[in-house]
Amino acid sequence: MYLVESKGGAIACMLLSLLCLGTWPAFITLLERRGRLPQHTYLDYTITNLLAAVFIALTLGQFGTSTPEKPNFITQLYQDNWPSVLFAMAGGIVLSLGNLASQYAFAFVGLSVTEVIAASITVVIGTTLNYFLDDKINRAEILFPGVACFLIAACLGSAVHRSNAADNEAKLRDFKGPVSSTEMEIVSKESKDLENGYGKSTEKAKQGTAGFLIALEKRRAIKVFGKSTIIGLLITFFAGICFSLFSPAFNLATNDQWSTLKQGVPKLVVYTAFFYFSVSCFIIAMILNIAFLYFPPFGLPRSSTKAYLNDWNGRGWAFLAGLLCGFGNGLQFMGGQAAGYAAADSVQALPLVSTFWGVVLFGEYRRSSRRTYVLLFCMLSMFIVAVAVLMASSGHRK
């Protein structure tokens, strides 16, 4: 099997993981804003998320000759390594719960703020746990200042959300009636509007205006007007707690720090652990989302298995989101096994990527106040510093 063993290779895995994990939430948000039920989207997403893990296990996990010390993926499926398997599956369960909660938080508080708060909680708790589980192979004098930077970025993210929410409330309060001509823009049929798809030349409200916010509310699947943002923030904090636990659980699965395996049984290689991790993630997601079809939360319309199977609107984007998340998680674990899972938590700087997509695709922060823009710049700058510091703390697992 192929193993990442150098610090440079580990950092490359982290950077690719950062790109993948920061991009897939944008596609989930895109479909919700188009009006697709999140239950349908998440069922599609979880299928390709599992397929990504299977692909990685059958390729990178099977390269080369299996040895007693480093068995390949297929060989490990028949070994008595259930204590480690259970740790991996526990990690998959909490990740699935976190991702499931996130897609609802995206609607209530926005893509950028959700990712900022959840990622910062993940780093503060998860990185600390991984540092001690990895026998302190990461440089503490660099690692924990990086954690502090994430915490500062979380506070700035909360300030950005409050400022932007106040800006939107002011726009809606001052909105008097039909959208004026100065607030309209022409969408030509030759251009691709990701939120609305191809269509004839039409007029629509410009991003960031009150008319745009009202039109979005009418179209989207989860209605948020009149609902307290406290709901979204509570969901976001729950997601952050879940995210903070999946990496330490995976760390225990691959390194057996608590000596739960029988003598002579090799530790789980990262690909085998990732396979079991993704299987449990798939199972819990299927159970919950099928239940949500018939008993939907947050006032969503009731659906059914038949309606889901017939809903092909945006299915390709949901499949792509699952693949990106699957490969992103796999790359994070490959880098963490080589350089320490505490350093690999640098991929939690994914709000850098998510905020880019939030601004480009969804018009977040368009026509906001100068105060909001200043806070946004400070938040992104702090994340850049945080990810650089955490990667600089990378160690080398013997």
Side-chain angles (χ1 to χ4, degrees):
M1 63 179 173
Y2 172 77
L3 288 177
V4 177
E5 296 181 328
S6 67
K7 184 183 294 187
I11 291 175
C13 286
M14 294 175 202
L15 290 173
L16 286 173
S17 175
L18 174 61
L19 179 62
C20 292
L21 294 178
T23 299
W24 76 263
F27 297 138
I28 299 291
T29 304
L30 170 69
L31 295 177
E32 186 275 323
R33 291 165 71 105
R34 281 186 178 181
R36 193 171 197 243
L37 291 177
Q39 306 97 306
H40 293 188
T41 298
Y42 202 85
L43 285 168
D44 290 334
Y45 151 89
T46 198
I47 292 171
T48 50
N49 187 60
L50 175 63
L51 290 177
V54 173
F55 176 81
I56 291 174
L58 293 177
T59 53
L60 298 178
Q62 283 294 112
F63 286 163
T65 304
S66 178
T67 65
E69 296 80 16
K70 295 182 179 180
N72 61 27
F73 166 66
I74 297 296
T75 301
Q76 282 214 307
L77 292 180
Y78 299 97
Q79 294 178 341
D80 185 15
N81 45 31
W82 279 105
S84 292
V85 168
L86 291 176
F87 279 122
M89 297 185 76
I93 289 172
V94 291
L95 177 65
S96 186
L97 292 173
N99 285 339
L100 182 59
S102 291
Q103 69 172 343
Y104 294 100
F106 295 152
F108 283 103
V109 295
L111 176 63
S112 303
V113 172
T114 301
E115 294 289 15
V116 167
I117 296 176
S120 299
I121 294 172
T122 302
V123 169
V124 171
I125 300 176
T127 300
T128 303
L129 293 175
N130 277 323
Y131 172 74
F132 290 103
L133 286 173
D134 278 337
D135 198 24
K136 305 178 183 180
I137 65 173
N138 298 100
R139 298 172 62 185
E141 67 275 15
I142 298 178
L143 178 71
F144 288 106
V147 172
C149 289
F150 267 97
L151 190 58
I152 295 171
C155 296
L156 289 170
S158 179
V160 169
H161 169 66
R162 289 196 302 271
S163 180
N164 193 53
D167 294 341
N168 289 338
E169 288 176 6
K171 294 172 189 175
L172 294 170
R173 186 171 55 250
D174 297 337
F175 186 67
K176 302 300 182 182
V179 183
S180 65
S181 59
T182 58
E183 293 182 321
M184 303 298 291
E185 62 181 349
I186 303 297
V187 182
S188 66
K189 63 182 179 181
E190 289 81 12
S191 65
K192 178 65 173 175
D193 183 343
L194 284 177
E195 285 202 59
N196 300 291
Y198 288 106
K200 297 179 180 179
S201 296
T202 58
E203 286 189 341
K204 71 171 188 176
K206 291 181 179 179
Q207 290 182 328
T209 63
F212 174 81
L213 296 174
I214 293 171
L216 173 61
E217 177 71 8
K218 292 179 179 178
R219 186 174 66 245
R220 70 189 314 163
I222 303 175
K223 308 301 181 185
V224 298
F225 278 9
K227 295 181 180 178
S228 172
T229 55
I230 296 297
I231 297 174
L233 291 174
L234 289 175
I235 298 172
T236 301
F237 276 102
F238 172 77
I241 296 298
C242 291
F243 291 150
S244 67
L245 299 176
F246 82 85
S247 181
F250 194 92
N251 193 347
L252 287 167
T254 53
N255 295 298
D256 192 35
Q257 290 92 336
W258 293 350
S259 301
T260 58
L261 293 174
K262 295 179 180 178
Q263 188 174 3
V265 177
K267 300 173 184 177
L268 282 189
V269 297
V270 66
Y271 307 109
T272 309
F274 185 43
F275 170 75
Y276 285 115
F277 175 94
S278 299
V279 166
S280 66
C281 193
F282 173 82
I283 292 172
I284 196 69
M286 293 295 289
I287 292 172
L288 291 177
N289 278 281
I290 289 175
F292 286 165
L293 291 176
Y294 299 94
F295 306 98
F298 306 114
L300 286 163
R302 186 184 176 95
S303 184
S304 66
T305 305
K306 182 179 180 180
Y308 158 68
L309 293 174
N310 291 329
D311 181 11
W312 286 88
N313 179 29
R315 177 157 282 164
W317 290 111
F319 283 156
L320 180 57
L323 287 174
L324 286 172
C325 185
F327 283 111
N329 285 329
L331 288 165
Q332 176 185 355
F333 295 144
M334 289 165 62
Q337 188 62 17
Y341 286 98
D345 283 337
S346 61
V347 304
Q348 295 304 323
L350 50 91
L352 285 171
V353 182
S354 295
T355 300
F356 170 80
W357 292 120
V359 171
V360 172
L361 292 183
F362 310 130
E364 290 186 0
Y365 311 114
R366 295 285 176 89
R367 295 173 175 82
S368 292
S369 64
R370 180 176 296 180
R371 179 176 183 273
T372 299
Y373 288 136
V374 170
L375 288 170
L376 179 63
F377 175 79
C378 293
M379 179 193 77
L380 295 177
S381 298
M382 188 56 64
F383 265 112
I384 292 173
V385 173
V387 70
V389 173
L390 252 66
M391 286 189 178
S393 74
S394 297
H396 188 269
R397 194 183 305 279
K398 296 180 181 180

